Amino acid sequence: MLRNIDPILSPELLYTLRAMGHGDEIVIADANFPGSSSGPDCIRADGSSASEMLQAVLSVMPLDTFVPDPALTMQVVGDPQAVPDAVADFQRIIDTTADNPAKVQGLERFAFYDRAAKAFAVVQTGERRLYGNIILKKGVIG
């Protein structure tokens, strides 16, 4: 155990977050996301929700301030303007936890999959809410 580190951040995930550089991206995915087949290393976190994981990750990782979209979610198929409960929760967490809060932006489903395939890693959570997926771009610590 470590002080002031959320215990849901596993050793493997802490290593991954530390190994990431500025501009690298990490996916926090729901239980339905094709994490293992998407390309990047998949870190399992089945006992955590995507919201819990987002809060834990943002407690140690800065969001990028050099891009307009450091937090991306998957748009609802057929209704890209809809804001699923998970996404509304993500925005609240970013607003209250991130050192550089940003507005969550949406990506079309297949564009999200393509972007996720290029990420540094995927954290597959046990999130059961639909559209509980978010891509975060790592920033710098000043």
Side-chain angles (χ1 to χ4, degrees):
M1 294 295 291
L2 297 171
R3 259 186 237 137
N4 302 319
I5 301 290
D6 192 310
I8 69 170
L9 296 174
S10 68
E12 182 182 10
L13 181 51
L14 285 170
Y15 173 83
T16 298
L17 292 169
R18 178 61 181 96
M20 290 172 63
H22 173 239
D24 281 338
E25 294 181 335
I26 191 162
V27 180
I28 298 173
D30 65 25
N32 289 303
F33 191 81
S36 294
S37 64
S38 66
D41 288 340
C42 183
I43 300 167
R44 300 299 302 203
D46 298 289
S48 301
S49 72
S51 292
E52 291 167 331
M53 188 56 66
L54 176 62
Q55 182 141 0
V57 167
L58 290 178
S59 74
V60 297
M61 187 190 89
L63 284 179
D64 197 336
T65 59
F66 295 104
V67 296
D69 56 354
L72 298 163
T73 58
M74 185 185 295
Q75 293 173 339
V76 173
V77 175
D79 189 4
Q81 301 306 315
V83 180
D85 291 342
V87 174
D89 202 27
F90 294 163
Q91 185 65 68
R92 180 191 59 75
I93 292 166
I94 289 170
D95 290 344
T96 59
T97 306
D99 55 348
N100 299 303
K103 182 168 176 11
V104 173
Q105 304 292 318
L107 279 178
E108 183 273 331
R109 176 182 176 210
F110 292 107
F112 188 95
Y113 288 144
D114 289 345
R115 184 85 169 248
K118 297 174 189 148
F120 195 91
V122 173
V123 181
Q124 182 99 50
T125 70
E127 179 63 63
R128 294 178 68 180
R129 294 177 295 178
L130 297 178
Y131 297 97
N133 308 297
I134 189 165
I135 300 172
L136 304 173
K137 185 178 288 285
K138 186 176 183 182
V140 298
I141 296 174

